[in-house]
Amino acid sequence: MQGRERRIQREIDISEDRVGKTGALATPAIQTVDLRIGRDEVVLTAVRDLALGTGEARLLLGPSGCGKTTLLMTLAGLLSPISGDVVVDSVRLGALNRTQRDRLRGRQIGLVFQDIHGVAGLSALANVLLGAFAVGLPQDRERAMHLLDRVGMASLAKRRFETLSRGEAQRVGIARALLLSPAVILADEPTASLDDVNAERIADLLLAIASETGAALIVATHDQRLRDRMGAIIEMERPR
């Protein structure tokens, strides 16, 4: 059996084992159903039947080009799968139209992407609060400041976004993703621009927030520093 097939079977075995021990698998925060993903006609099937309950975490580890970002974008409903479906908080993304997917994503999924998206001219704090503004929810300044403090950015809360370094901007993006206490946190290379101290801080923060709020956490990275901090690892390979 090839290495990729062994990893697929391991994921399936884990799911079956959880059903066997409990008699019924608790409703996952996020799961995939016979999912096949791909881009540019390249089909990736290394991860199937993935199911995470509340507070669970997975690390997607693999080299650039292996499909980690494609998988995360599919889980977030930003890309359509080749076949199969993604279920978030008991809602099938495939059954939703684009507007409905956008609304669910804004309220239930916290996204931390490698490409940093912020609004120039607004402060770091205002950029965090955009997460609530975008979906029409109240802007909780106290929680926003609390999250900025936890990512080490409270002292720069009033700094305009375009004046921040890449690492600082990335930490603002993480705070924004956590603002609404999402059911699922998807993070793509969250420590890529960070030194060892801040990489450790962000990894601990994501795990702590997931544990505290009951969110499912999926982190995609090639950063080996995260391997020891997340117990459940799915290793992905570059498609051949």
Side-chain angles (χ1 to χ4, degrees):
M1 183 180 291
Q2 298 298 316
R4 182 180 300 177
E5 294 173 340
R6 284 197 298 270
R7 277 187 285 277
I8 293 172
Q9 189 60 50
R10 184 173 62 197
E11 285 298 309
I12 295 173
D13 290 344
I14 289 171
S15 295
E16 291 176 345
D17 184 56
R18 290 173 64 198
V19 173
K21 288 181 179 179
T22 62
L25 184 64
T27 302
I30 187 169
Q31 68 178 126
T32 60
V33 181
D34 297 326
L35 190 69
R36 296 172 71 233
I37 63 172
R39 297 184 79 170
D40 301 324
E41 299 183 354
V42 176
V43 179
L44 305 169
T45 58
V47 179
R48 296 187 309 169
D49 298 329
L50 180 67
L52 276 76
T54 58
E56 289 190 299
R58 294 286 188 280
L59 181 67
L60 301 180
L61 196 63
S64 298
C66 71
K68 300 187 303 295
T69 298
T70 299
L71 176 59
L72 286 191
M73 292 183 72
T74 304
L75 294 176
L78 291 167
L79 286 178
S80 296
I82 292 174
S83 63
D85 209 349
V86 177
V87 183
V88 177
D89 201 22
S90 300
V91 178
R92 284 181 173 262
L93 298 188
L96 305 179
N97 60 37
R98 182 174 179 177
T99 299
Q100 291 170 328
R101 285 198 304 272
D102 289 346
R103 185 180 301 116
L104 181 141
R105 185 186 314 114
R107 298 188 178 211
Q108 297 291 341
I109 301 176
L111 298 174
V112 182
F113 282 132
Q114 189 172 5
D115 292 330
I116 303 164
H117 301 285
V119 178
L122 295 183
S123 67
L125 174 60
N127 268 276
V128 173
L129 291 170
L130 281 177
F133 176 79
V135 293
L137 293 177
Q139 299 179 49
D140 189 339
R141 293 175 65 88
E142 183 177 351
R143 175 164 174 77
M145 281 301 303
H146 171 69
L147 290 170
L148 284 173
D149 181 59
R150 293 193 68 175
V151 298
M153 287 292 294
S155 63
L156 300 179
K158 296 182 179 180
R159 182 79 63 84
R160 291 189 356 173
F161 186 83
E162 67 271 22
T163 68
L164 300 175
S165 70
R166 181 174 177 82
E168 290 168 345
Q170 193 165 32
R171 285 184 276 164
V172 170
I174 291 170
R176 181 171 60 199
L178 301 177
L179 181 67
L180 299 180
S181 299
V184 178
I185 302 168
L186 304 176
D188 187 16
E189 302 287 1
T191 59
S193 299
L194 304 179
D195 57 31
D196 288 346
V197 172
N198 282 309
E200 181 177 328
R201 182 179 209 165
I202 292 304
D204 288 346
L205 172 64
L206 289 172
L207 288 167
I209 291 292
S211 177
E212 292 167 9
T213 64
L217 171 64
I218 300 177
V219 177
T221 187
H222 65 269
D223 189 344
Q224 294 289 334
R225 295 176 299 182
L226 298 185
R227 178 183 284 272
D228 294 335
R229 295 196 166 272
M230 300 187 67
I233 299 173
I234 301 171
E235 295 199 46
M236 298 180 66
E237 298 176 353
R238 187 179 288 109
R240 300 174 181 175

